[in-house]
Amino acid sequence: MDYLYLLNAGMYLIIGTALLAVWQRHRAQTFARDMGCSTVFAALLPIGYLVHTEAAPPWQALGMALVVVGAIPNLLFLASGVLQLSGRRLPRPVAAVITGGALIVLLAPPAGAKLVWWAGFNLCVLTALGVLATRFLWRTGAGVRLVGPLLITLGLNQLLLIAYAEQGLAINIINATLLRAVIGAVFVLSALDGALDEAGKLARRFQQLTEHAVQGVVVIDGQRILYANPAVRQIYGLPLGLGNYIALADLPPESFCDATLQRQHHALQSGQTDIANWEGRREVAGGRELELRFEAWRVEWDGHSATQVLITDDTERNASARALLHQATHDKLTGLPNRTVLMQRLKEYCYLADGSLHCTLIVLNIDRFKLFNQSQGHVVGDHVLKAFAAQLRQVLGARAELMRLGGDEFAIVDPDGANPHDIAGRLQSACSQALRVGGSEYVIDASMGMAIFPEHAGNAEALLRAANAAMYQAKRIPGTSLALAEPLRVEQLSSALENEQALRRGIRTQEIYLDYQPKIDAVNGKLLGFEALARWQRPGIGLVSPVEFIAIAERTGLIAELGAALLERACRQIAVWHAELGDCVPVAVNVSPVQLLTKGFPQLVERLLRETGIPPHCLTLEITESAAIDNLEDTQTQLRHLRGLGIEVAMDDFGTGFSSLSMLRELPLSTLKIDRGLIIPLPAPDAVAVVTAICQLASALALQVVAEGIETLEQAIAARDAGCQALQGFFYAQPLTVADAGAWMQRQLSAGADGRNAGDDAAAAVSTM
């Protein structure tokens, strides 16, 4: 009897191991796993029962533990496996009922009744599983359909134990072993059928993916084509993969590169690389040439190692990319390369040159082409541009390239470094020839600027700037002309741009400040006022001349912003002096024509007076003679508004332009400042006569006269004697800092003060002469 228990356990282990081995190969067949686990745990039941009944009392408890450990997982995995076979899962409540029931019937009954109780519980569970399996699996295959009846039979086998107890145990074990073996075989066959079905699905899926793919799929063994999908046949136009294997050597060499395929195949099979990529042009059926891209990796095919190659036809995609690149790098009208290509070429020639190579760049601009378009129309203008481009190409060297930079501007790059005079002659000859467009003839002029690498510039950007600068120089010469770049001119343009940007930063960071030059009474030498003069201490450069940065401000439109900032700074300094000294001499601030004629300028001045609280008589505004003459009516309006605020207005630099005497009568002025150009020649008689005439005119109009640029005692005496009431210049003082100007003013305003500086002494010397 003991051998029967061991035989039963051994059979269960074999069946369970076989089921688990099947599941190990085909993991999708989870029912085989559950049935294998159930059978393995069932093997513990006869061993545990044998130990419980035959072993000494200390070991009997171990036998019962083996029975419990084997019985409950056996039923749970059995139930799960049957339901998995039908495509269902074991509900957790059902698993809990089975576990609880098994524990009760194994532990609660007395020792003599345990076998009968367990047999009854097994009968219920197995019969129920058999009924469910019969219902769920009846419409499946004939083999799987047997699982239900076999489980019912296995459950009914428990009646032997219920009826005969231990006397029926031998027959029960034999029947259970046979039934579990048959059930295990059914599960093994079902697992294998499922695995074959899965393999079939994968094969069909692979076939669907490859047969309908737009990319070609080829499988080779190094010598033959083992498989080729329809896309390959369509790409190459050959009947590949439709019959027996095809040798690579038998294929047209212009379509397939046998050596490349074999080399990549051997590299993949030897493990030198995991994925191989290459591309090439192939001539296929019909004489078409395709641009193909290949990607290959190692696969298993019919049990042998092979290489799968993915073939992509990039012909249309590459053609589209080339078309887009051409559009991005070429002019649409003329088909010539554009500025992008120009910079690429210049960088190639400039950065890769060995020093002996000379690259010539010519920038060409058609003169007055805007007028041509306006008179003849843009359509004719476009035809002229194309004809002009064609005419230029005919006279260029073999390697010279013509490019259109936009509008009526072209560029020519000649890497051969031809003689500049020869190039200029050929281009001027081409421009002199008439262009035939639509039955008409047109002759156009062009301005050309030439720059040579490395003589005129050391890099691509600088070379283009040099050629552009030369082209603008050529525009000053009438007719078709060519100018050679001048390094100094390029340097000046670069410096001008740098200065413009620095001025913008300087205004923003308040680098520009004010110094104050005194105005002295020509008779008694007293301080009459100051003129605020702008100064720029540029970081890293030093003091920049006002003539230079004021010109930059006017050219770039920054003069209004700069003038407003300086006016505000002067007003705030006047407010400080007024608060500290109790009064303040007038301070004159220069106003540019642009600033004066700005619509809101009087409102700006009014706001500054209100915010700073300074008396209007402490502020004088100086305007230029040219601004008044050019915009007399607008100037009158603005000045009347300012005089209405109580502000004195002076005309600066009088005598430098075409002075209008009627203008002095029509403008609400208070002061006339004679330009230093008329003061410097003093005391020459003719110069004295001019200054005297101006002073007599100003006296008749009740205007105060200030002489600027007094540098010597003789000039000061002559200006005073000519009728100038106030004198200003280096003879008295150079422009003073805020502290020095404030100290001078404090001495002037102090009651009964007698202390004087160098300027006071100079003024006193004039007054005693």
Side-chain angles (χ1 to χ4, degrees):
M1 191 64 180
D2 294 346
Y3 294 106
L4 189 59
Y5 292 139
L6 296 176
L7 179 63
N8 176 249
M11 287 295 294
Y12 281 1
L13 285 174
I14 293 171
I15 297 170
T17 303
L19 287 166
L20 290 174
V22 171
W23 169 76
Q24 188 70 25
R25 290 292 302 273
H26 307 285
R27 291 299 183 95
Q29 314 304 318
T30 54
F31 61 85
R33 176 201 63 193
D34 290 351
M35 193 62 191
C37 291
S38 170
T39 309
V40 169
F41 279 109
L44 297 176
L45 291 174
I47 296 174
Y49 186 78
L50 180 63
V51 172
H52 180 67
T53 55
E54 300 295 334
W59 296 99
Q60 291 179 350
L62 176 61
M64 181 53 63
L66 289 174
V67 171
V68 173
V69 171
I72 297 175
N74 165 42
L75 292 177
L76 291 176
F77 278 112
L78 179 62
S80 177
V82 171
L83 292 176
Q84 289 270 11
L85 187 61
S86 62
R88 294 169 173 80
R89 302 177 70 87
L90 178 65
R92 290 188 177 182
V94 174
V97 169
I98 293 175
T99 302
L103 289 173
I104 292 172
V105 299
L106 287 173
L107 301 177
K114 289 183 185 294
L115 184 61
V116 176
W117 279 71
W118 175 249
F121 182 75
N122 257 349
L123 173 63
C124 297
V125 174
L126 293 174
T127 303
L129 285 175
V131 172
L132 290 175
T134 302
R135 177 184 174 186
F136 294 153
L137 302 174
W138 192 253
R139 297 182 180 274
T140 59
V144 177
R145 195 182 304 169
L146 294 175
V147 171
L150 288 172
L151 286 173
I152 294 174
T153 304
L154 187 61
L156 295 176
N157 185 48
Q158 304 301 313
L159 293 173
L160 292 172
L161 298 178
I162 295 173
Y164 300 106
E166 291 189 1
Q167 286 76 13
L169 191 57
I171 301 299
N172 172 271
I173 291 174
I174 294 172
N175 293 338
T177 302
L178 294 174
L179 290 171
R180 291 295 289 252
V182 175
I183 293 172
V186 171
F187 270 76
V188 169
L189 293 175
S190 298
L192 293 176
D193 287 341
L196 291 174
D197 185 57
E198 287 294 325
K201 288 180 180 179
L202 291 176
R204 289 189 296 273
R205 186 179 302 168
F206 172 79
Q207 185 177 10
Q208 291 174 354
L209 289 174
T210 58
E211 295 296 311
H212 300 287
V214 295
Q215 293 175 303
V217 179
V218 174
V219 180
I220 64 172
D221 63 0
Q223 300 295 330
R224 303 170 299 170
I225 291 181
L226 307 179
Y227 170 80
N229 71 340
V232 176
R233 299 193 288 272
Q234 185 176 358
I235 290 173
Y236 286 98
L238 298 173
L240 301 171
L242 297 178
N244 297 327
Y245 296 155
I246 300 175
L248 294 175
D250 296 337
L251 294 172
E254 63 274 8
S255 298
F256 288 86
C257 184
D258 181 26
T260 301
L261 283 173
Q262 289 187 4
R263 184 174 66 253
Q264 300 294 354
H265 171 77
H266 292 310
L268 290 166
Q269 298 303 321
S270 62
Q272 298 177 18
T273 182
D274 294 328
I275 297 180
N277 294 277
W278 71 97
E279 57 186 28
R281 289 179 174 269
R282 300 290 184 267
E283 184 177 332
V284 299
R288 295 180 304 144
E289 190 177 72
L290 301 181
E291 298 177 31
L292 302 180
R293 178 164 44 90
F294 303 88
E295 186 175 7
W297 55 89
R298 186 173 51 209
V299 295
E300 183 181 332
W301 192 267
D302 292 338
H304 300 283
S305 183
T307 297
Q308 179 174 327
V309 184
L310 186 67
I311 306 173
T312 305
D313 184 0
D314 285 341
T315 307
E316 292 186 7
R317 185 176 69 87
N318 290 347
S320 299
R322 285 192 294 270
L324 290 174
L325 180 61
H326 187 274
Q327 292 177 8
T329 57
H330 287 74
D331 172 52
K332 185 177 181 181
L333 176 65
T334 61
L336 295 174
N338 60 14
R339 185 180 295 271
T340 302
V341 178
L342 171 65
M343 296 310 298
Q344 290 176 351
R345 294 291 185 272
L346 291 180
K347 289 178 180 179
E348 290 174 9
Y349 299 140
C350 294
Y351 294 144
L352 302 182
D354 59 2
S356 62
L357 178 64
H358 288 255
C359 169
T360 300
L361 170 65
I362 301 169
V363 174
L364 182 151
N365 185 270
I366 300 176
D367 295 337
R368 302 176 301 282
F369 192 73
K370 183 177 180 180
L371 179 62
F372 186 95
N373 270 335
Q374 291 173 347
S375 62
Q376 302 298 319
H378 288 279
V379 175
V380 176
D382 289 345
H383 288 301
V384 169
L385 286 174
K386 290 194 288 187
F388 183 65
Q391 193 160 283
L392 289 178
R393 274 197 296 260
Q394 292 177 357
V395 302
L396 297 179
R399 295 182 61 200
E401 289 185 85
L402 175 65
M403 304 167 189
R404 186 185 180 201
L405 305 185
D408 56 0
E409 191 170 63
F410 296 83
I412 299 163
V413 179
D414 189 351
D416 291 332
N419 188 307
H421 297 290
D422 176 55
I423 297 176
R426 284 188 277 123
L427 291 175
Q428 289 176 328
S429 174
C431 292
S432 65
Q433 298 176 18
L435 300 173
R436 297 183 179 275
V437 176
S440 301
E441 290 188 354
Y442 302 97
V443 177
I444 59 178
D445 294 323
S447 298
M448 295 171 279
M450 178 186 294
I452 302 173
F453 171 84
E455 284 85 347
H456 298 131
N459 57 62
E461 291 78 8
L463 190 65
L464 181 57
R465 289 198 302 270
N468 270 316
M471 184 267 290
Y472 285 112
Q473 287 289 100
K475 277 194 172 293
R476 300 178 181 179
I477 306 172
T480 296
S481 58
L482 185 145
L484 193 63
E486 301 175 9
L488 180 59
R489 174 65 178 164
V490 177
E491 203 174 295
Q492 289 173 345
L493 289 175
S494 177
S495 176
L497 177 62
E498 183 181 348
N499 288 338
E500 289 179 10
Q501 299 302 317
L503 181 60
R504 293 179 188 275
R505 291 192 299 270
I507 295 174
R508 187 171 60 251
T509 58
Q510 298 183 347
E511 295 172 6
I512 301 172
Y513 60 93
L514 293 173
D515 278 347
Y516 299 87
Q517 188 170 36
K519 297 178 184 178
I520 305 301
D521 190 304
V523 177
N524 57 28
K526 290 184 178 181
L527 177 66
L528 295 179
F530 291 104
E531 180 182 0
L533 299 174
R535 296 291 182 262
W536 181 18
Q537 188 72 27
R538 182 176 168 186
I541 300 296
L543 198 62
V544 181
S545 168
V547 176
E548 181 179 346
F549 72 79
I550 293 298
I552 295 173
E554 290 176 342
R555 184 174 64 250
T556 58
L558 293 171
I559 190 65
E561 181 182 355
L562 175 60
L566 294 178
L567 178 61
E568 180 177 359
R569 178 170 293 191
C571 289
R572 297 195 181 281
Q573 184 57 53
I574 293 171
V576 171
W577 282 331
H578 194 273
E580 292 177 350
L581 305 176
D583 198 359
C584 180
V585 296
V587 176
V589 179
N590 291 284
V591 178
S592 74
V594 175
Q595 188 180 10
L596 173 65
L597 298 175
T598 302
K599 185 176 181 181
F601 179 67
Q603 289 74 22
L604 170 65
V605 176
E606 186 176 2
R607 178 178 63 82
L608 290 175
L609 292 177
R610 185 174 60 253
E611 290 180 355
T612 58
I614 63 175
H617 73 269
C618 292
L619 177 65
T620 300
L621 298 180
E622 294 187 359
I623 66 171
T624 60
E625 180 184 6
S626 60
I629 294 175
D630 295 339
N631 303 277
L632 184 58
E633 185 176 347
D634 292 337
T635 303
Q636 283 178 321
T637 303
Q638 297 289 71
L639 294 187
R640 288 194 184 102
H641 194 156
L642 293 170
R643 290 303 300 270
L645 298 175
I647 295 176
E648 301 290 334
V649 178
M651 176 172 290
D652 196 13
D653 300 333
F654 184 79
T656 58
F658 298 97
S659 302
S660 172
L661 300 181
S662 63
M663 172 193 67
L664 296 179
R665 182 176 57 82
E666 295 175 8
L667 293 177
L669 301 173
S670 60
T671 304
L672 199 64
K673 298 187 69 175
I674 302 177
D675 184 76
R676 66 189 306 271
L678 299 178
I679 300 299
I680 290 175
L682 295 177
D686 55 345
V688 170
V690 172
V691 173
T692 301
I694 295 174
C695 291
Q696 290 173 349
L697 175 64
S699 177
L701 297 174
L703 297 177
Q704 184 189 37
V705 178
V706 179
E708 292 185 291
I710 301 295
E711 297 182 358
T712 66
L713 178 61
E714 290 77 12
Q715 290 173 343
I717 295 171
R720 181 200 65 184
D721 293 344
C724 296
Q725 291 97 346
L727 307 176
Q728 178 183 347
F730 287 176
F731 176 68
Y732 299 101
Q734 293 193 7
L736 306 174
T737 64
V738 171
D740 292 340
W744 196 335
M745 192 186 314
Q746 184 177 18
R747 288 193 296 271
Q748 177 69 37
L749 296 176
S750 297
D754 190 36
R756 296 185 300 226
N757 63 7
D760 297 320
D761 295 337
V766 175
S767 65
T768 58
M769 295 295 289

